[in-house]
Amino acid sequence: MGDYRFLKACRREPVDVTPIWIMRQAGRYLPEYQKIRGKNSFLTLCKTPELAAEVTIQPVERLGVDAAILFSDILIPVEAMGVPLDFHDGKGPILGKEIRGQADVDALSVPDPTDKVPFVMETIRILRKAFQGKVPLIGFSGAPFTLCSYIVEGGTSRNFIKLKTLMYQAPEVYRSLMTKITKTVIAYLNAQIEAGAQAVQIFDTWAGILTPGDYEEYALPYTRQVVAGLSRGNTPVIHFANDCATILSAIRTLGVDVIAVDWRIPLDVAAIVVGQGVAIQGNMDPTMLFHPPEKIDDCVRDVLRRGESAASHIFNLGHGILPPTNPDHAIAMVEAVHRFGRKGMAVPR
Ligand code: CP3
């Protein structure tokens, strides 16, 4: 099924129109999500294939996006490594395992995904059946550095002091933890591809908090191992890092198919940095959806125009859609991309 415009754009092949999907497209801004979420905890949704599949499908039906992304969370495989995980409303994830030394790393496992998180693969299989021929399905994982930051900080952080202290004062413990996470991520993504994910996105949400030098020393080598370890076939690999402008040239060396960028760097500038050998995904500022709907066309057209500098462009927001967003504004964005998007994209080279 190489016919979907999203997969074609990932491979820099000509498309009928610029494809669009939205990070966090399934979620709290949708009343139909709230309805199911009102009866179930977030983790129950993630771990019950029928429910996870249902909320994955919701934005595809309501918004008319060109791809679906598996409903899950980047922390699901972390829990399977042996780190207790909980979500408290309004506070984000809480992880209950301190990493004080090598013994704490040794206590973690590299889980077999088919054994420890079978519900993820089952959700993928249900979705592939439900979507046949309609939209392709994207699987995903957190990148090792971002997963490591959640484990060491115990949740979301502001200055990442615990993580930096481990990196700088106990580099061998940090590296052994990163190696375990890297193996987990490789097995997890390969299991998703095996189950039917047609593209995979690696989320390195926190990579941008590092200096470019630290990024290359402490994060990039592990993401490189992940990319090298995927039994890809021709499954496109997308890399997203938030706040990525200063590390974009390093990300380029990963050899992924698509580089997803946040909104702080204009796409035409990003295209100069990454060159014509890779597709670019992004990058409308999620707060642009708080414009009146008639202004959204202009916001979309600006991103599209800049995206023309890329070898191939997949439209997305520069980070996840925000919970207070009006779904009608998201629909206006999708329609504008399909109305004004590049038609008959040629592959320059
Ligand atoms: O994009 C999608 O629609 C697929 C589902 C998805 C979720 N999380 C659902 C979710 C994906 C791809 C993620 C990835 C994820 N999870 C990331 C990387 C992407 C990014 O945003 O940078 C990160 C950092 C996490 C960790 C995480 N999970 C955070 C920080 C939060 C927010 C906590 C909060 O309350 O705002 C979550 C929870 C989460 N993940 C929700 C959803 C729909 C909200 C849970 C709810 O319904 O209460």
Side-chain angles (χ1 to χ4, degrees), residues 24-26 28 33 37 42 72-74 150 203 205 319:
R24 290 275 175 98
Q25 65 190 17
R28 285 172 295 193
Y33 172 84
R37 177 71 174 80
F42 173 62
S72 185
D73 196 82
I74 57 165
Y150 278 103
F203 286 91
T205 302
H319 202 172

Side-chain angles (χ1 to χ4, degrees), residues 21-28 33 37 42 69-75 87-93 140 146 150 156 203 205-206 240 319-320:
W21 68 279
I22 306 172
M23 286 192 276
R24 290 275 175 98
Q25 65 190 17
R28 285 172 295 193
Y33 172 84
R37 177 71 174 80
F42 173 62
I69 181 160
L70 167 74
F71 187 84
S72 185
D73 196 82
I74 57 165
L75 300 173
F87 283 87
H88 294 285
D89 281 341
K91 273 208 264 163
F140 69 88
T146 289
Y150 278 103
T156 308
F203 286 91
T205 302
W206 298 120
F240 169 76
H319 202 172

Side-chain angles (χ1 to χ4, degrees), residues 179-218:
T179 299
K180 247 182 187 171
I181 298 170
T182 301
K183 287 182 183 156
T184 299
V185 169
I186 293 170
Y188 185 54
L189 284 175
N190 280 334
Q192 291 183 39
I193 293 170
E194 169 100 352
Q198 289 150 292
V200 289
Q201 178 155 320
I202 300 167
F203 286 91
D204 212 351
T205 302
W206 298 120
I209 63 134
L210 294 170
T211 66
D214 276 358
Y215 175 70
E216 289 190 35
E217 189 172 342
Y218 294 103

Side-chain angles (χ1 to χ4, degrees), residues 2-319:
D3 277 332
Y4 299 111
R5 56 170 81 109
F6 165 75
L7 293 177
K8 285 181 166 187
C10 289
R11 302 193 181 104
R12 288 174 284 129
E13 292 165 10
V15 287
D16 58 341
V17 67
T18 309
I20 172 171
W21 68 279
I22 306 172
M23 286 192 276
R24 290 275 175 98
Q25 65 190 17
R28 285 172 295 193
Y29 73 107
L30 286 179
E32 55 270 41
Y33 172 84
Q34 298 275 22
K35 204 171 156 210
I36 296 184
R37 177 71 174 80
K39 296 186 214 126
N40 304 275
S41 74
F42 173 62
L43 281 175
T44 303
L45 285 191
C46 291
K47 293 178 184 178
T48 313
E50 293 72 24
L51 294 177
E54 189 175 344
V55 294
T56 303
I57 294 168
Q58 287 173 346
V60 175
E61 294 192 334
R62 185 186 274 242
L63 307 179
V65 286
D66 297 303
I69 181 160
L70 167 74
F71 187 84
S72 185
D73 196 82
I74 57 165
L75 300 173
I76 291 290
V78 170
E79 186 182 41
M81 290 177 77
V83 180
L85 170 67
D86 208 350
F87 283 87
H88 294 285
D89 281 341
K91 273 208 264 163
I94 313 275
L95 295 92
K97 169 114 186 147
E98 283 222 50
I99 303 294
R100 286 152 306 194
Q102 188 60 43
D104 297 311
V105 176
D106 292 343
L108 298 176
S109 66
V110 175
D112 172 354
T114 53
D115 180 35
K116 291 288 193 278
V117 289
F119 47 86
V120 172
M121 274 46 81
E122 182 56 20
T123 306
I124 292 173
R125 285 188 287 268
I126 294 174
L127 285 167
R128 281 301 304 275
K129 275 202 203 106
F131 284 138
Q132 309 188 17
K134 206 169 164 216
V135 287
L137 178 66
I138 305 167
F140 69 88
S141 171
F145 177 73
T146 289
L147 297 182
C148 186
S149 82
Y150 278 103
I151 294 173
V152 176
E153 294 289 336
T156 308
S157 174
R158 194 170 167 77
N159 293 315
F160 298 90
I161 298 299
K162 281 189 191 166
L163 176 65
K164 297 277 179 92
T165 304
L166 184 73
M167 272 165 54
Y168 298 147
Q169 293 197 17
E172 60 303 326
V173 177
Y174 171 80
R175 293 205 179 274
S176 97
L177 176 56
M178 284 292 275
T179 299
K180 247 182 187 171
I181 298 170
T182 301
K183 287 182 183 156
T184 299
V185 169
I186 293 170
Y188 185 54
L189 284 175
N190 280 334
Q192 291 183 39
I193 293 170
E194 169 100 352
Q198 289 150 292
V200 289
Q201 178 155 320
I202 300 167
F203 286 91
D204 212 351
T205 302
W206 298 120
I209 63 134
L210 294 170
T211 66
D214 276 358
Y215 175 70
E216 289 190 35
E217 189 172 342
Y218 294 103
L220 185 69
Y222 302 93
T223 309
R224 198 184 302 291
Q225 285 176 40
V226 170
V227 175
L230 297 183
S231 345
R232 287 154 85 162
N234 61 357
T235 309
V237 178
I238 310 168
H239 182 280
F240 169 76
N242 192 25
D243 234 330
C244 68
T246 54
I247 54 171
L248 211 42
S249 54
I251 291 170
R252 174 70 189 94
T253 68
L254 287 169
V256 293
D257 302 274
V258 184
I259 295 179
V261 300
D262 63 279
W263 68 90
R264 298 166 189 86
I265 179 169
L267 287 188
D268 45 339
V269 180
I272 293 169
V273 181
V274 303
Q276 295 295 306
V278 63
I280 299 186
Q281 179 175 284
N283 74 342
M284 201 168 96
D285 181 342
T287 62
M288 294 280 171
L289 292 177
F290 295 85
H291 277 99
E294 62 276 12
K295 282 271 165 50
I296 290 173
D297 276 9
D298 291 343
C299 302
V300 166
R301 289 172 90 157
D302 181 59
V303 174
L304 284 170
R305 186 177 55 76
R306 294 175 188 281
E308 280 175 25
S309 303
S312 176
H313 179 206
I314 297 155
F315 201 102
N316 206 315
L317 294 176
H319 202 172

